[in-house]
Amino acid sequence: MKKLVVSAFALALISFTSVQAQTASQATADHSAHQEAVAQKTTKADQKEKVAVKTEDLPEGIQKTIKSDDFKGWTVKKAFLVTEPDKAQYYELQVANGKENALVKLDKEGRNVG
């Protein structure tokens, strides 16, 4: 009889522990989902803005730079005006030379910024 009572007590204790673990696990999952939603909102607010620009519409300083000897053999495939969260702006150019690709960041004067 004593063994039966001890076994029943152990089973009840295990069941209680299991229920508590499931409740804690669910609370952790809910908290994680909330944190992820907050992080996504923050990320969107902090993201930089990229606007496509036609190569022929790039500022004169950049036009001179991409026609210089430094860019000889390279072709601008895509260009973007990038505005950082702090409102700083630069142009991001995706350039190619044969099978070689590169990403170049220039200010409106055509100077390398990154």
Side-chain angles (χ1 to χ4, degrees):
M1 181 75 175
K2 194 175 190 181
K3 288 182 182 181
L4 182 62
V5 171
V6 171
S7 296
F9 179 73
L11 185 58
L13 186 61
I14 291 170
S15 297
F16 177 75
T17 304
S18 176
V19 169
Q20 291 297 330
Q22 288 176 354
T23 304
S25 175
Q26 181 62 35
T28 302
D30 291 344
H31 182 69
S32 295
H34 174 70
Q35 284 182 323
E36 186 176 325
V38 169
Q40 286 177 350
K41 287 179 186 176
T42 302
T43 302
K44 287 180 182 177
D46 293 339
Q47 279 184 337
K48 54 188 169 188
E49 178 184 340
K50 286 174 84 170
V51 178
V53 178
K54 293 180 181 177
T55 306
E56 59 269 12
D57 293 337
L58 290 169
E60 187 177 328
I62 294 177
Q63 293 286 352
K64 287 180 182 178
T65 299
I66 61 178
K67 291 176 184 173
S68 72
D69 288 340
D70 292 337
F71 278 83
K72 189 170 188 141
W74 290 89
T75 305
V76 177
K77 297 296 183 184
K78 292 182 181 179
F80 300 93
L81 173 59
V82 179
T83 304
E84 294 286 342
D86 66 357
K87 304 299 180 202
Q89 290 185 323
Y90 60 89
Y91 289 85
E92 185 177 276
L93 308 178
Q94 294 176 4
V95 295
N97 186 355
K99 291 184 179 181
E100 202 174 345
N101 294 308
L103 186 67
V104 180
K105 296 177 182 178
L106 304 172
D107 66 10
K108 66 181 179 179
E109 305 300 323
R111 295 181 295 243
N112 190 345
V113 294

